[in-house]
Amino acid sequence: YEDIGKIYLAGLSLEKASNIISTKINEAFVSSSSNLTLKSVRDMQILITGNVMFPGMYTLSGNSHLLHAINVAGGVNENGSLRSVEVRRKNKPIHTVDLYELLVLGKDNFTNSLRSGDVIYINPVKNLVRLGQGFNKTGLFELKDNETFGDLLKISSGISRNVISETFTLNRYEKGTFK
C-alpha cells in the first residue's frame, strides 16, 4: 500500500518484523491490526573453514544455529579449538564463541543469528590439559591463556568423591620431555 511504503525486514527476527509491520499499519490506518505469518525460511550459504573435518561452503536452513553448521561440516577436528570459534561477516569478526560455555556449562553465548555469506572459522587448539583419575570428567581439555586450575576443576565438574588422597601429580611436557 502507498500509505505504508516499503518495509525492510532482512535479518530481523519474526517478532521484531511483526512489531515493525504492526506499528506501520497502525500509523497508516486507524483502528487496524496485523497478523504476520512466516510461510518459509530462506536457505543461506555459510563457509565453514579452519580446523573442521570437512571445510567448505554449505547451504543451511535460514534458522540454523552455529552448532548445526559445525555439525554439518563433520565437527571440529583434533587440531581445532572448542574455545575459540569465530563468526565473520564481511571479512570482520562479529563474534567469538567459546563452545565450552555452551556444551559444558549450558550457557548459550552465541547471540547473533547466522546470515548468508557468514564465515565460521575454527581456530587451532592451544593449551591442552589431560585429566586422569580423581576427577569427575576425565580426558583432554583446552584451557584459555588466562585460565587456572580452578577453571579446570569447574570444566571437569570437580574432584571425584572417591578420591582419598589430597595430593595431585602434575606432569608437564616441555621441550620433548615430561617434567
Side-chain angles (χ1 to χ4, degrees):
Y1 294 103
E2 290 180 16
D3 295 338
I4 297 174
K6 289 185 179 182
I7 302 173
Y8 297 97
L9 305 172
L12 296 178
S13 68
L14 183 61
E15 181 181 358
K16 286 182 182 177
S18 181
N19 289 340
I20 289 171
I21 290 171
S22 291
T23 301
K24 291 282 189 180
I25 288 175
N26 288 336
E27 288 173 358
F29 305 106
V30 180
S31 299
S32 61
S33 64
S34 66
N35 183 21
L36 180 65
T37 304
L38 183 63
K39 185 175 178 181
S40 64
V41 178
R42 189 169 60 181
D43 287 344
M44 59 183 168
Q45 295 262 312
I46 304 290
L47 176 63
I48 306 171
T49 187
N51 294 282
V52 67
M53 294 301 284
F54 306 110
M57 186 68 77
Y58 290 89
T59 301
L60 304 173
S61 165
N63 57 1
S64 293
H65 189 273
L66 175 70
L67 288 179
H68 178 248
I70 293 170
N71 186 51
V72 167
V76 177
N77 68 25
E78 65 183 22
N79 298 318
S81 174
L82 292 174
R83 308 300 305 269
S84 181
V85 176
E86 285 182 30
V87 178
R88 300 175 183 167
R89 187 168 291 149
K90 296 181 182 174
N91 294 323
K92 294 179 183 168
I94 62 163
H95 201 70
T96 301
V97 179
D98 179 352
L99 292 179
Y100 273 27
E101 296 240 336
L102 178 61
L103 300 172
V104 177
L105 303 175
K107 299 177 187 173
D108 189 357
N109 57 3
F110 183 65
T111 55
N112 300 5
S113 297
L114 293 173
R115 292 187 190 168
S116 195
D118 282 354
V119 175
I120 297 172
Y121 177 74
I122 309 295
N123 282 293
V125 71
K126 282 188 176 180
N127 307 314
L128 292 176
V129 177
R130 182 174 302 282
L131 289 181
Q133 217 170 11
F135 296 92
N136 286 318
K137 291 181 185 172
T138 61
L140 198 56
F141 297 92
E142 181 182 3
L143 290 181
K144 292 180 179 179
D145 289 336
N146 62 344
E147 288 183 317
T148 65
F149 183 72
D151 296 308
L152 187 60
L153 278 177
K154 190 187 313 180
I155 292 168
S156 71
S157 297
I159 298 169
S160 170
R161 66 175 190 241
N162 298 327
V163 170
I164 298 170
S165 174
E166 294 180 12
T167 306
F168 289 90
T169 304
L170 172 66
N171 296 313
R172 181 168 282 157
Y173 188 73
E174 286 182 356
K175 299 177 185 174
T177 60
F178 282 100
K179 295 181 179 180

